[in-house]
Amino acid sequence: MNKHTPLYDMHVSLGARMVDFGGWDMPINYGSQIEEHHQVRNDAGMFDVSHMTIVDLSGDGVRDYLRHLLANDVARLRDKGKALYSCMLTEQGGVIDDLIVYYLDDAFYRMVVNAATRDKDLAWLEKQAADFDVEIAVRDDLAMIAVQGPRARDKVHQALGTEAAPLAELGVFFMHQVGDMAIARTGYTGEDGYEIILPAGQASTFWSQLLEAGVKPCGLGARDTLRLEAGMNLYGTDMDESTTPLESGLAWTIAWEPVDRDFIGRAALMAQRDAGVKQKLVGLVLEDKGVLRNHQKVIVDGTPAGEITSGSFSPTLGKSIAFARVSVDIGSQCRVEVRNKLLNARVVKLPFVRNGKICI
Amino acid sequence: MSNIPQELRFTKSHEWIRREEDDTLTIGITDHAQALLGDLVFVDIPEVGEECAVGDDVAVVESVKAASDVYAPITGEIAAVNEKLADTPELLNQDPYGDGWIFKIKPADENDYDGLMDADAYQEIIAEDES
C-alpha cells in the first residue's frame, strides 16, 4: 500500500493520472504534462510536494551541527528566514542528498530533503547528531505546495487576501511565516514563486483557494521537464553517493572558506580538486530528431566521452535536451547513441531556460 | 475508460488494425496506449516499401516520459506512412484512431487479419490495467 499525501483525494477528483513515486501515489499529470509545463512558464501552476521530508532542527548546537553536516555553510545565513541549498556528503565526498535549509532562529533551522532518500537521510542526521546539542523532529504533520510561474506570487497573494501584505517585500530565497503557513520564495522550476509549508489539515482548503485564484494543478511530469530546462539536478539520476558535487555541476554549493570548517567530505573533495576533476555535468541540445534519455552514451571522435544523466523533451525549446556527465575537456559538439544511431548534439552551459527566457 | 472501437482489431502490445477497402491494413496505437505514454513528442516511422514480419519493431513513438516500439501486427510490406506525424506527433494523443494512424501494411496473406484479436478480447487485456 503506497503512501498518500493529504491532497490525494483532491488529485483523484481533478482527474490526475496517479503513479508510484518512491512509495507515494503521486499525480504525474492532470491531462497533458506539456500544457502544465507551459502553464508554469507563462502563468502559474501548483504542485503537491507533500511527499518531501520536512525536518525541524533545534537546540544550542544546531548551527555547529549543520556546519559539520553540510558542504555549504549555514554561517552564510545572516538574516532570519534565509534559505541555503546544499549537499550532504559521505566522508568520500559522495552525495547522500541535496536539500534546502532555512535559518529561522539561532537555535532553529528547518530542512527539506527528498522523499526517496528519507530513511537513509534521517538515519544519517541522527548518527551525526550524537556529538551535538540538537533535537531532530520529522514534521509528517505538514503538507507542502509549490506555486510557480510569473504570476504565481500574485495569485498566492490573491488567495491569502490581506494576510499576504508582508509577502510583497519577501526576497528571493527567503521564508516568511503567515499564520500557520511558512511561505518561501524558492522552487524547482526556474520561475519565480513560492513553496508553502502548511498543516496537513489545511492543505485541501488552500489548494481549492489557489484553484479559485486561477492556479492550475501540475504533475510530477511537468515538474521534471521544468527543472531540467532550469538546469536543476535531480538526486538519484544526476548525482548520488558515487559522484561528488565537483562532478555534478554543484561546485558552487561547496563553501571552501573558512578553511578550518571541517565538514563531512571536505578532505575527499580537496583531494579530488587537487588531483584534477575528470568529469563535469553539461547541457546537451539534440540537433537531430529524436529524444535523449537517461544512460545514453555520449561519443566524441568515435570514443566514449560520458553518459546522459537526465534526458527528455523540452517543451519550451521544442526539442530534446539533457544533462550529461562527460570528460572535462569536451568541446562544443558531440554525438549521442540513440537506439543504435549516432545523433548530433550541441554542448551548452546550463541552464537552458530561466524566468521564461531561453538562455542557450 | 479507454475508447475501443468495435470495428477494429488489436494486439497485446496495444496496436490497432483497420482493414481498408483495398485490403491494406492501417495501424496505429490505441487510446489506452497513448494515455499511458502521455504527450507524444517524436515518431520514428518506417520507409514505404520496407518488408516486415509479424512482431518486427517497425516504428518508435516517444513521449516526454518514454520511448515505445510499435510492432508489425502482420507480415507484409509497408504501403504508406503518416508523414504528418513528423511535425505533429500530438495527433497520436488527439486522434489515435483517426489522424494519428502511423503506417499501412499490404499483408503477405490477407487471411492473417482474421487471426487478430477483436475489441472484446482487447478490452479484457486492458481491464486489469484500468481497474
Side-chain angles (χ1 to χ4, degrees):
Chain A
M1 176 72 184
N2 269 352
K3 288 185 271 190
H4 289 175
T5 75
L7 290 163
Y8 175 85
D9 291 338
M10 180 68 82
H11 303 316
V12 171
S13 73
L14 289 167
R17 177 170 288 274
M18 305 298 286
V19 297
D20 173 68
F21 184 87
W24 295 80
D25 282 328
M26 297 300 289
I28 184 88
N29 64 60
Y30 300 79
S32 164
Q33 100 170 59
I34 290 183
E35 280 173 26
E36 291 163 19
H37 181 108
H38 291 311
Q39 174 71 25
V40 171
R41 285 276 176 259
N42 300 324
D43 189 350
M46 60 181 158
F47 305 84
D48 178 13
V49 286
S50 305
H51 59 307
M52 297 192 76
T53 308
I54 302 166
V55 185
D56 282 350
L57 305 162
S58 55
D60 288 339
V62 64
R63 186 170 179 272
D64 289 341
Y65 167 70
L66 289 169
R67 294 194 77 202
H68 176 62
L69 184 77
L70 303 179
N72 211 337
D73 188 0
V74 296
R76 291 175 170 184
L77 302 174
R78 297 183 201 286
D79 299 310
K80 286 184 185 171
K82 183 75 178 173
L84 185 77
Y85 173 76
S86 181
C87 289
M88 182 160 77
L89 306 177
T90 63
E91 288 290 356
Q92 294 74 37
V95 183
I96 294 171
D97 202 4
D98 64 338
L99 55 91
I100 286 188
V101 61
Y102 298 91
Y103 164 54
L104 299 174
D105 208 331
D106 289 339
F108 184 41
Y109 290 71
R110 173 169 284 177
M111 188 185 272
V112 180
V113 302
N114 282 300
T117 49
R118 176 188 171 107
D119 292 347
K120 74 164 186 175
D121 286 355
L122 294 178
W124 185 255
L125 292 179
E126 288 289 352
K127 184 178 170 201
Q128 299 305 329
D131 298 333
F132 296 91
D133 174 16
V134 57
E135 193 80 26
I136 299 170
V138 184
R139 298 298 305 271
D140 288 334
D141 56 317
L142 299 176
M144 187 158 158
I145 299 170
V147 189
Q148 302 276 294
R151 301 182 62 193
R153 293 180 65 219
D154 282 347
K155 290 185 175 182
V156 170
H157 299 172
Q158 193 185 320
L160 288 172
T162 51
E163 278 191 291
L167 293 174
E169 305 299 322
L170 188 68
V172 173
F173 247 65
F174 272 92
M175 177 186 272
H176 183 76
Q177 193 77 27
V178 176
D180 288 336
M181 297 185 193
I183 301 183
R185 198 167 165 198
T186 51
Y188 194 46
T189 61
E191 299 298 326
D192 202 352
Y194 292 128
E195 291 178 303
I196 299 164
I197 295 171
L198 71 172
Q202 297 177 20
S204 290
T205 304
F206 189 56
W207 183 275
S208 299
Q209 286 166 347
L210 291 167
L211 282 174
E212 276 172 39
V215 182
K216 298 266 167 57
C218 299
L220 294 182
R223 187 167 160 83
D224 190 53
T225 50
L226 287 159
R227 70 92 193 167
L228 186 66
E229 286 185 349
M232 294 173 169
N233 290 27
L234 173 63
Y235 187 79
T237 71
D238 300 315
M239 74 290 199
D240 58 25
E241 290 188 25
S242 72
T243 54
T244 72
L246 296 172
E247 302 160 319
S248 309
L250 297 173
W252 63 276
T253 70
I254 303 165
W256 299 105
E257 304 285 338
V259 290
D260 61 347
R261 184 177 69 96
D262 183 27
F263 66 86
I264 302 166
R266 178 176 193 120
L269 290 186
M270 287 178 72
Q272 186 182 41
R273 186 184 64 171
D274 295 344
V277 182
K278 304 218 167 22
Q279 292 187 300
K280 64 177 177 180
L281 205 70
V282 296
L284 300 183
V285 179
L286 187 64
E287 295 184 321
D288 294 324
K289 290 224 163 197
V291 184
L292 301 173
R293 303 286 181 192
N294 303 11
H295 304 305
Q296 288 169 346
K297 299 278 174 280
V298 177
I299 311 283
V300 175
D301 297 332
T303 52
E307 181 177 295
I308 286 181
T309 58
S310 289
S312 190
F313 177 81
S314 159
T316 305
L317 273 66
K319 50 183 86 169
S320 181
I321 59 171
F323 299 162
R325 182 170 284 108
V326 294
S327 309
V328 287
D329 55 3
I330 197 163
S332 60
Q333 288 288 135
C334 68
R335 292 183 159 196
V336 182
E337 196 177 307
V338 180
R339 307 176 69 88
N340 300 318
K341 288 183 207 159
L342 285 178
L343 303 184
N344 291 299
R346 188 153 59 94
V347 180
V348 300
K349 255 184 89 173
L350 299 169
F352 301 97
V353 179
R354 189 53 65 92
N355 292 321
K357 301 273 186 305
I358 295 172
C359 309
I360 52 147
Chain B
M1 272 305 284
S2 288
N3 174 18
I4 304 175
Q6 279 298 314
E7 68 278 15
L8 302 182
R9 297 296 176 97
F10 299 88
T11 67
K12 279 186 206 165
S13 47
H14 308 292
E15 290 88 7
W16 57 263
I17 303 99
R18 184 173 64 228
R19 178 140 68 179
E20 308 295 350
E21 283 178 6
D22 63 0
D23 284 334
T24 61
L25 304 174
T26 301
I27 287 125
I29 62 167
T30 65
D31 185 38
H32 176 73
Q34 70 78 21
L36 277 184
L37 283 163
D39 291 312
L40 273 308
V41 294
F42 175 67
V43 184
D44 196 0
I45 46 178
E47 303 257 332
V48 173
E50 254 178 57
E51 304 274 325
C52 60
V54 60
D56 285 357
D57 50 339
V58 287
V60 181
V61 294
E62 299 212 31
S63 70
V64 185
K65 241 187 309 181
S68 181
D69 288 316
V70 181
Y71 300 99
I74 224 153
T75 297
E77 181 188 316
I78 305 293
V81 296
N82 187 354
E83 304 279 1
K84 276 192 205 162
L85 295 178
D87 291 325
T88 48
E90 60 270 26
L91 291 173
L92 286 164
N93 296 116
Q94 292 162 358
D95 193 8
Y97 299 114
D99 288 345
W101 67 278
I102 302 174
F103 56 92
K104 293 179 195 257
I105 291 181
K106 184 175 173 12
D109 180 348
E110 282 157 24
N111 296 321
D112 285 352
Y113 174 83
D114 298 317
L116 292 166
M117 190 190 307
D118 65 15
D120 291 343
Y122 183 64
Q123 172 69 66
E124 274 181 40
I125 282 188
I126 67 167
E128 206 162 290
D129 290 358
E130 298 199 338
S131 64

